[in-house]
Amino acid sequence: MTTSAGIISGVSLSHKRATIDELEAATFASQRDAVANLRAESAVREAFVIQTCNRVEVYIVTDGAEKGREILEELFSETPSERLRELGHEESLRHLLRVGAGLESLVLGEDQILGQIRDAYEDARQMDGIGPVLDDGITKAIRVGERARTE
């Protein structure tokens, strides 16, 4: 499924599969730096990175899934592959919605994640990482998270 806007490839490293030490080893100096480095790759149209004490997740938009997977595999080359969860386009979108709703959190439904998503979104926006594909997915994840908490 290739669209003119591109497709999302994602990787999630979280408390569900990784140890605290593995999470710390995979953490970037900053979300902004990670987005800037990803955007420096000619094939990456958009990039979003969220890292918390319980997760490091990267989403990129490229022309094709294979190129996206290659870039993410290289980015996480030091992390054991069994610890990573690779996410295709649709799965990335579903996962972002689950993260926003707190369903992927250590404490089910915790609300700190919404602020962390907003901060990561702003970091990515400032580094020119957000375009039409990720903007739509991330803003929906925030709205779903807000709605899940109010209803």
Side-chain angles (χ1 to χ4, degrees):
M1 175 176 135
T2 302
T3 66
S4 61
I7 54 176
I8 303 171
S9 298
V11 166
S12 174
L13 178 67
S14 76
H15 64 278
K16 292 185 175 187
R17 292 186 180 189
T19 66
I20 296 296
D21 289 340
E22 290 168 329
L23 283 166
E24 286 178 5
T27 298
F28 305 103
S30 76
Q31 292 172 158
R32 287 180 186 192
D33 289 345
V35 169
N37 290 337
L38 287 162
R39 286 290 289 129
E41 294 269 347
S42 62
V44 176
R45 293 181 179 192
E46 302 177 38
F48 175 71
V49 174
I50 181 166
Q51 48 189 31
T52 70
C53 56
N54 292 319
R55 76 181 63 255
V56 175
E57 295 186 357
V58 177
Y59 301 89
I60 58 174
V61 176
T62 56
D63 286 334
E66 188 173 320
K67 187 61 178 175
R69 278 193 304 273
E70 284 175 21
I71 292 167
L72 293 176
E73 283 174 12
E74 185 176 322
L75 185 66
F76 286 96
S77 63
E78 300 295 315
T79 304
S81 60
E82 66 272 10
R83 302 293 192 230
L84 299 170
R85 181 172 172 206
E86 287 186 27
L87 305 163
H89 185 86
E90 296 295 326
E91 193 175 9
S92 290
L93 293 169
R94 277 193 302 275
H95 185 74
L96 276 169
L97 294 175
R98 290 181 56 80
V99 169
L103 298 174
E104 295 292 326
S105 297
L106 186 60
V107 176
L108 190 65
E110 62 89 14
D111 58 0
Q112 278 187 328
I113 192 65
L114 270 180
Q116 293 164 333
I117 292 172
R118 283 187 184 104
D119 290 346
Y121 174 76
E122 188 56 33
D123 286 345
R125 251 183 21 81
Q126 290 179 7
M127 302 312 291
D128 195 32
I130 301 297
V133 178
L134 289 177
D135 184 61
D136 191 41
I138 296 164
T139 56
K140 281 182 182 164
I142 291 169
R143 284 196 303 269
V144 164
E146 290 168 344
R147 188 169 179 191
R149 282 158 185 81
T150 60
E151 295 180 11

